[in-house]
């Protein structure tokens, strides 16, 4: 079936460090790919998305590129802030109104 | 910006009791979903709903669960006889026909 695998957390970084959170997906069909973020005590917010190969999603300094050849959608940010501390979920859907399948989530803690 | 809302934010119930979780999707959306997240675990799909009927459901969504759109704005999840293992955060989501689902803030259900 469809699945998403992302790196285990927690990830602890100092402020202004470079962030990478790895994510790979099953290549069934032509999925849309997403990163959702969950801040402490809050719900899921869409951070960015990409709908086809080589698309780059970006938002709030975060980026992820849809790589079909490696079935990956790694999340990156050049300089993290304390306010980026949250749980990040990689996700996929088969497009349209189909259900979203989530990875296990990666907790990021940024320390001053 | 339109958003999905959910009530209550926290529900505490006794095992065996019925609970109804309520959601107000974004007003012009036509596709609705429920997901759940057991503490510390991944977000799991429960059910999708379109045109007043269930489109897809997971193996979690057994006969104890039901969904309803009782009027033009609300979308509800009913658990008929709650079990301890139903304790989780329940997220409602809606989709306007694109590939993006918008999530509500969640209802934390605690079954004692």
């Amino acid at each position: 079936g469809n699945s998403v695998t992302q790196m285990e957390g927690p990830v602890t970084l100092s402020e202004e460090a470079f962030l990478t959170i790895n994510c790979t997906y099953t290549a069934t069909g032509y999925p849309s790919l997403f990163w959702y973020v969950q801040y402490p005590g809050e719900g899921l917010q869409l951070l960015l998305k990409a709908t086809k190969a080589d698309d780059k999603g970006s938002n709030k300094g975060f980026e992820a590129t849809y790589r079909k050849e490696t079935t990956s959608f790694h999340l990156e940010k050049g300089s993290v802030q304390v306010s980026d501390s949250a749980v990040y979920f990689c996700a996929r859907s088969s497009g349209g109104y189909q259900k979203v399948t989530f990875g296990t989530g990666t907790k990021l803690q940024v320390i001053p | 910006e339109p958003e999905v809302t959910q009530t209550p934010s926290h529900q505490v119930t006794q095992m065996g009791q019925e609970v109804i979780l309520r959601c107000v999707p974004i007003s012009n959306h036509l596709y609705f979903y429920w997901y759940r997240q057991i503490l510390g675990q991944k977000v799991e799909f429960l059910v999708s709903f379109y045109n007043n009927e269930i489109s897809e459901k997971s193996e979690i969504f057994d006969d104890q669960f039901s969904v309803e759109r009782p009027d033009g704005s609300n979308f509800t999840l009913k658990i008929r006889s709650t079990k301890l293992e139903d304790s989780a955060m329940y997220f409602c989501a809606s989709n306007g026909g694109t590939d993006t689902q918008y999530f509500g803030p969640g209802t934390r259900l605690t079954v004692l």
Side-chain angles (χ1 to χ4, degrees), chain A residues 37-43 45 82-87 107-108, chain B residues 89 108:
Chain A
V37 58
Q38 186 177 33
Y39 296 103
E42 297 187 17
Q45 298 178 26
V82 172
S83 57
D84 294 326
S85 299
V87 181
K107 183 175 182 178
L108 170 67
Chain B
M89 182 75 90
R108 179 167 298 284

Side-chain angles (χ1 to χ4, degrees), chain A residues 22-69:
Chain A
N22 291 337
C23 171
T24 57
Y25 63 91
T26 52
T28 309
Y30 303 94
S32 296
L33 303 174
F34 309 87
W35 279 98
Y36 282 86
V37 58
Q38 186 177 33
Y39 296 103
E42 297 187 17
L44 296 164
Q45 298 178 26
L46 178 66
L47 180 60
L48 54 84
K49 69 175 185 180
T51 58
K52 61 183 188 297
D54 301 325
D55 267 3
K56 178 186 283 188
S58 61
N59 186 25
K60 299 181 182 180
F62 291 89
E63 292 182 340
T65 301
Y66 190 141
R67 302 280 189 206
K68 189 177 178 184
E69 63 278 10

Side-chain angles (χ1 to χ4, degrees), chain B residues 45-58:
Chain B
F45 168 77
L46 292 178
V47 66
S48 59
F49 190 86
Y50 170 72
N51 199 27
N52 280 320
E53 58 183 34
I54 291 174
S55 309
E56 184 179 0
K57 60 182 181 179
S58 72

Side-chain angles (χ1 to χ4, degrees), chain B residues 68-108:
Chain B
E68 191 178 30
R69 187 152 163 83
D71 52 41
S73 59
N74 289 284
F75 178 53
T76 61
L77 173 70
K78 182 193 289 186
I79 308 176
R80 202 181 334 273
S81 178
T82 49
K83 302 190 279 285
L84 294 176
E85 54 264 38
D86 293 327
S87 294
M89 182 75 90
Y90 288 80
F91 292 105
C92 173
S94 70
N95 180 331
T98 69
D99 56 6
T100 302
Q101 293 181 20
Y102 295 89
F103 286 77
T107 293
R108 179 167 298 284

Side-chain angles (χ1 to χ4, degrees), chain B residues 26-77:
Chain B
I26 294 173
S27 64
N28 61 344
H29 285 189
L30 299 176
Y31 303 91
F32 314 113
Y33 312 81
W34 284 101
Y35 293 78
R36 78 172 186 189
Q37 183 185 29
I38 294 172
L39 187 63
Q41 299 186 24
K42 67 175 7 180
V43 178
E44 302 172 291
F45 168 77
L46 292 178
V47 66
S48 59
F49 190 86
Y50 170 72
N51 199 27
N52 280 320
E53 58 183 34
I54 291 174
S55 309
E56 184 179 0
K57 60 182 181 179
S58 72
E59 62 275 8
I60 302 168
F61 195 87
D62 61 22
D63 292 344
Q64 292 299 311
F65 292 87
S66 62
V67 289
E68 191 178 30
R69 187 152 163 83
D71 52 41
S73 59
N74 289 284
F75 178 53
T76 61
L77 173 70

Side-chain angles (χ1 to χ4, degrees), chain B residues 5-11 20-24 34 74 105-107:
Chain B
T5 59
Q6 291 184 241
T7 54
S9 57
H10 191 190
Q11 173 94 46
I20 297 177
L21 310 183
R22 303 181 191 281
C23 168
V24 178
W34 284 101
N74 289 284
T107 293

